[in-house]
Amino acid sequence: MQSYTIGQAARLLGVSPDTARRWADAGKVATHRDESGRRLIDGRDLAAFSVEVAQNGSGEEDISYTSARNAFPGIVTAVKLGDVAAQVEIQAGPHRLVSLLTREAVEELGLEVGMQATARVKSTNVHIDRT
């Protein structure tokens, strides 16, 4: 299972490294140390925590006023395999993306809960909202 540093987890959660560090210090997400002493978060733990953060808000007050790009790096939070098709969910910061693809593609990519992945969106219509 893949593990993530505090900095990597912060990027995937869409928060600052200081916020991710405070959450780890407070025990909101479990960490362990590698052989060099760095704190790491297990991919499955980070996937579950990313869903919780997205549902409850990140707690950071800074709001981004930018147009979303078409690449959403995040963490795989669910993989549902059918006989031919599959459904993959990715939590990219506050954004939950769901993709329907072939089972073969999921198996070739080796997608599983807790691993890092990027969802790419192609559209002929783009809507921009400013909050």
Side-chain angles (χ1 to χ4, degrees):
M1 172 53 53
Q2 186 168 353
S3 293
Y4 297 90
T5 64
I6 296 290
Q8 290 170 325
R11 189 176 69 252
L12 293 170
L13 292 168
V15 299
S16 71
D18 285 338
T19 297
R21 197 171 294 106
R22 282 193 302 274
W23 286 341
D25 291 344
K28 292 183 179 184
V29 62
T31 62
H32 63 278
R33 301 231 180 230
D34 67 4
E35 58 279 349
S36 63
R38 294 182 308 162
R39 283 196 300 181
L40 300 176
I41 301 170
D42 178 73
R44 288 193 181 272
D45 292 337
L46 183 58
F49 185 66
S50 70
V51 171
E52 180 184 328
V53 168
Q55 290 172 346
N56 299 328
S58 69
E60 289 204 339
E61 300 303 320
D62 295 333
I63 299 173
S64 176
Y65 294 106
T66 63
S67 172
R69 301 285 184 194
N70 64 346
F72 295 88
I75 186 166
V76 176
T77 58
V79 176
K80 298 174 187 163
L81 295 174
D83 291 336
V84 176
Q87 178 179 312
V88 177
E89 294 182 23
I90 294 178
Q91 193 70 46
H95 307 289
R96 176 180 164 262
L97 297 111
V98 180
S99 178
L100 301 176
L101 58 165
T102 65
R103 178 186 181 118
E104 181 181 12
V106 170
E107 291 171 346
E108 283 180 9
L109 291 169
L111 296 176
E112 61 183 41
V113 172
M115 71 183 306
Q116 189 172 350
T118 300
R120 298 200 183 272
V121 179
K122 181 180 177 188
S123 176
T124 57
N125 295 308
V126 177
H127 300 267
I128 301 172
D129 296 335
R130 185 170 192 270
T131 308

